[in-house]
């Protein structure tokens, strides 16, 4: 089995083939936690359950630890425990592991805050296993259930406002990340803090819109909110990691792994064309001594086309999930990343397996029209009613200037009572 590439891993595949499942399992393998086990308020990131309980379910994986040590593990699903059990002892430290789920939930495992030496074989219940937030908690914060006086995370709205008031290094980093992740035509620039209602004492961050008017972050569009949340979480995770590392008198982790499901979620095509390059730039700019590995799931041919100039086969890999029609098993295979040129070519490639890129009706009618043309070319008789019906169908699916009309009229010009063009 091939290994993941050290820098960028792109994962494609049809709906329901298991892309999100793969990321959930990857997060588990790296952290030994399932996102939903840490935060039951999540609707995604559930523990993997074996389909057939009569067969043994095993997860084997190899992790390159922070200290460059490579370790192989195997966990087995225990039917009585209803849990995955593996060898006792601390797993190798993979560095910071961030996981942005498709529904806006977020999971973080921080070696400076979520790793501790085990006493015997039991987990310390009072320790924080990982930071896992649903979409609402990303924005509004989350209280520590074990000690309700403390917040696990203040959330985007309050953290952003206090960083902005401090106007120090953290806010500068947030501004920089937002700038890099923005499309050129719509730079996400923080505006003044705003109160929104008389009975709400929250100071809301704002973004200066294209019309120069500040819009509160809670009223921003879905695409903007997705990027604001990703930017905030990255800055928050990194800052908190740095602070915790200082308290441990250790340098920040030399390794970070960032999993993002549906990286193009909510983004307009112009943004889809920039997001991966921008993400690479942002993560590479975080800390010179920290190597970042990305696992990105995408449904977007624009994303695949946008990566072409940046794809380096030494550091990057494209993985495709496909259903093998013979075995009925889903297979994950590394694909040869070729420069196909544009999104249409990517749609037709193994990444998306599309025969055409227009409407299905157009595709079907063109297939029928080509069949009739070939019939005529072979000198066979063509039924005039069939011809009439097809011409009407073509009128419904083709624009009046579609080049296919030239070909059609060349063969059937007499139908219009005219001459061949
Ligand atoms: N925790 C789980 N335990 C067992 N099986 C699961 C689990 N999560 C997902 N699956 C199985 O994996 C299949 C694929 O689900 P998944 O959400 O990963 O698809 P996907 O490739 O991300 O699809 P989409 O593109 O629609 O997001 C599901 O239909 C289900 O059979
Ligand atoms: Mg999915």
């Amino acid at each position: 089995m091939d290994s993941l590439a050290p820098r960028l891993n792109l994962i494609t595949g049809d709906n329901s083939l298991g892309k999100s499942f793969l990321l959930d399992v990857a997060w588990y393998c790296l952290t030994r936690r399932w996102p939903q086990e840490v935060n039951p308020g999540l609707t995604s990131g559930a523990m993997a359950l074996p389909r057939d309980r009569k067969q043994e379910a095993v997860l084997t994986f190899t992790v390159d630890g922070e200290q460059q040590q490579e370790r192989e593990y195997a966990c087995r699903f225990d039917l009585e425990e209803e849990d995955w059990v593996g060898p006792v002892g601390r797993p190798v430290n993979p560095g910071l592991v961030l996981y942005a789920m498709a529904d806006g939930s977020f999971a973080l495992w921080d070696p400076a805050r979520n790793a501790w030496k085990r006493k015997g074989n039991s987990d310390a219940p009072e320790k924080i296993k990982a930071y896992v937030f649903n979409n609402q908690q990303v924005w509004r914060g989350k209280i520590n259930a074990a000690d309700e006086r403390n917040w696990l995370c203040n959330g985007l709205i309050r953290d952003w406002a206090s960083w902005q008031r401090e106007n120090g290094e953290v806010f500068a980093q947030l501004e920089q990340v937002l700038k890099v992740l923005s499309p050129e035509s719509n730079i996400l620039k923080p505006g003044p803090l705003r109160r929104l209602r008389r009975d709400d004492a929250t100071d809301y961050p704002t973004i200066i819109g294209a019309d120069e008017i500040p819009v509160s972050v809670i009223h921003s569009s879905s695409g903007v909110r997705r990027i604001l949340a990703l930017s905030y979480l990255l800055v928050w995770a990194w800052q908190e990691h740095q602070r915790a590392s200082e308290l441990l008198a250790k340098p920040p982790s030399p390794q970070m792994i960032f999993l993002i499901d549906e990286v193009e979620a909510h983004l307009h095509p112009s943004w889809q064309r920039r997001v991966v390059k921008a993400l690479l730039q942002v993560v590479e700019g975080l800390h010179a001594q920290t190597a970042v590995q990305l696992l990105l799931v995408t449904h977007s041919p624009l994303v695949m086309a946008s990566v072409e100039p940046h794809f380096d086969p030494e550091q990057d890999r494209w993985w495709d999930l496909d259903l093998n029609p013979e075995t009925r098993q889903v297979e994950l295979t590394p694909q040869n990343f070729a420069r196909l040129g544009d999104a249409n070519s990517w749609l037709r490639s193994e990444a998306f397996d599309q025969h055409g890129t227009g409407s299905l009706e157009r595709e079907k009618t063109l297939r029928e029209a080509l069949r009739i043309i070939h019939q005529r070319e072979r000198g066979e008789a063509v039924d005039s009613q069939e011809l009439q019906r097809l011409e009407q169908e073509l009128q419904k699916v083709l624009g009046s200037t579609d080049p296919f009309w030239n070909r059609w009229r060349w063969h059937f010009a007499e139908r219009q009572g005219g001459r061949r063009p």
Side-chain angles (χ1 to χ4, degrees):
M1 177 72 193
D2 290 80
S3 308
L4 289 164
R7 186 180 72 157
L8 174 65
N9 292 275
L10 292 158
I11 305 168
T12 55
D14 205 345
N15 288 116
S16 298
L17 286 189
K19 301 179 297 300
S20 305
F21 177 71
L22 269 182
L23 293 192
D24 294 344
V25 171
W27 201 74
Y28 173 78
C29 291
L30 293 163
T31 68
R32 298 300 179 83
R33 311 282 175 211
W34 298 99
Q36 210 179 82
E37 164 217 17
V38 180
N39 184 343
L42 249 55
T43 51
S44 47
M47 176 195 287
L49 293 175
R51 198 175 282 178
D52 178 358
R53 297 210 172 200
K54 292 202 183 87
Q55 285 191 25
E56 191 179 43
V58 183
L59 266 176
T60 50
F61 51 95
T62 305
V63 181
D64 289 334
E66 250 191 7
Q67 309 299 332
Q68 303 296 312
Q69 70 281 48
E70 191 180 290
R71 288 263 292 272
E72 195 179 310
Y73 294 91
C75 311
R76 181 179 62 77
F77 190 78
D78 186 307
L79 294 179
E80 279 179 20
E81 294 274 328
E82 295 216 298
D83 201 356
W84 294 87
V85 289
V88 181
R90 195 167 137 183
V92 67
N93 180 355
L96 271 175
V97 191
L98 285 70
Y99 178 17
M101 287 163 253
D103 62 359
S105 311
F106 180 79
L108 164 74
W109 188 86
D110 180 345
R113 293 187 288 162
N114 305 127
W116 55 85
K117 288 196 179 71
R118 284 186 183 190
K119 290 198 182 92
N121 197 7
S122 62
D123 245 353
E126 74 283 5
K127 301 267 188 182
I128 297 160
K129 293 176 178 171
Y131 294 88
V132 182
F133 312 126
N134 63 26
N135 191 30
Q136 161 88 357
Q137 291 159 345
V138 166
W139 287 75
R140 298 278 175 179
K142 185 167 189 270
I143 286 181
N144 185 351
D147 178 354
E148 296 202 344
R149 290 165 306 175
N150 293 337
W151 288 80
L152 286 181
C153 170
N154 295 318
L156 180 151
I157 295 170
R158 285 186 301 142
D159 267 341
W160 179 321
S162 60
W163 296 344
Q164 188 162 350
R165 281 191 219 97
E166 271 169 30
N167 201 16
E169 185 210 324
V170 194
F171 192 58
Q173 186 173 44
L174 179 70
E175 281 185 304
Q176 177 61 17
V177 170
L178 285 174
K179 191 169 162 208
V180 176
L181 285 180
S182 307
E184 273 154 41
S185 56
N186 183 16
I187 299 284
L188 297 172
K189 206 166 97 212
L193 300 174
R194 281 274 154 85
R195 287 284 169 100
L196 295 184
R197 298 163 67 104
R198 280 175 298 156
D199 57 2
D200 181 356
T202 313
D203 289 324
Y204 287 89
T206 60
I207 286 289
I208 309 271
D211 51 8
E212 293 296 315
I213 295 173
V215 178
S216 82
V217 289
I218 59 162
H219 292 121
S220 299
S221 68
S222 311
V224 169
R225 273 186 285 137
R226 166 92 172 161
I227 295 295
L228 296 184
L230 273 181
S231 307
Y232 161 69
L233 289 164
L234 199 57
V235 172
W236 173 79
W238 185 251
Q239 290 295 332
E240 294 293 329
H241 173 68
Q242 271 186 312
R243 283 181 204 175
S245 302
E246 277 166 25
L247 292 176
L248 290 170
K250 280 185 175 173
S253 172
Q255 227 168 246
M256 182 200 275
I257 304 169
F258 197 177
L259 322 173
I260 309 183
D261 201 0
E262 300 188 17
V263 64
E264 70 281 357
H266 304 298
L267 301 183
H268 181 273
S270 67
W271 217 335
Q272 292 186 24
R273 296 176 68 191
R274 289 175 171 82
V275 69
V276 174
K277 181 188 164 202
L279 275 169
L280 280 172
Q281 210 176 321
V282 163
V283 294
E284 280 165 4
L286 273 183
H287 186 238
Q289 279 81 41
T290 303
V292 185
Q293 183 183 42
L294 289 168
L295 268 75
L296 306 182
V297 163
T298 182
H299 283 134
S300 166
L302 284 165
V303 164
M304 295 303 284
S306 77
V307 172
E308 289 186 7
H310 316 289
F311 194 93
D312 170 5
E314 295 286 316
Q315 317 186 63
D316 307 328
R317 197 152 296 153
W318 160 37
W319 303 85
D320 191 38
L321 274 172
D322 257 321
L323 187 70
N324 183 325
E326 280 160 27
T327 60
R328 308 296 300 159
Q329 301 259 345
V330 177
E331 291 170 1
L332 177 72
T333 36
Q335 300 284 329
N336 184 20
F337 188 96
R339 294 195 175 86
L340 301 182
D342 63 12
N344 269 358
S345 315
W346 275 100
L347 271 173
R348 291 201 187 89
S349 74
E350 282 110 353
F352 303 101
D353 301 306
Q354 297 302 297
H355 300 297
T357 59
S359 72
L360 294 175
E361 289 81 354
R362 180 179 191 272
E363 224 172 276
K364 177 168 170 275
T365 311
L366 283 177
R367 254 198 321 269
E368 288 181 38
L370 279 173
R371 184 175 49 79
I372 295 273
I373 287 174
H374 293 149
Q375 223 172 309
R376 166 62 57 99
E377 282 171 346
R378 290 195 298 269
E380 294 169 15
V382 174
D383 179 65
S384 67
Q385 274 187 349
E386 169 76 345
L387 208 53
Q388 193 178 2
R389 181 191 68 79
L390 254 178
E391 193 155 311
Q392 281 168 0
E393 289 297 317
L394 282 170
Q395 271 159 6
K396 282 191 219 156
V397 296
L398 296 184
S400 59
T401 56
D402 194 295
F404 188 79
W405 283 122
N406 283 342
R407 191 160 175 201
W408 182 256
R409 291 193 182 117
W410 172 261
H411 290 280
F412 304 113
E414 69 277 12
R415 283 197 44 77
Q416 276 88 31
R419 287 186 310 194
R420 286 177 169 175

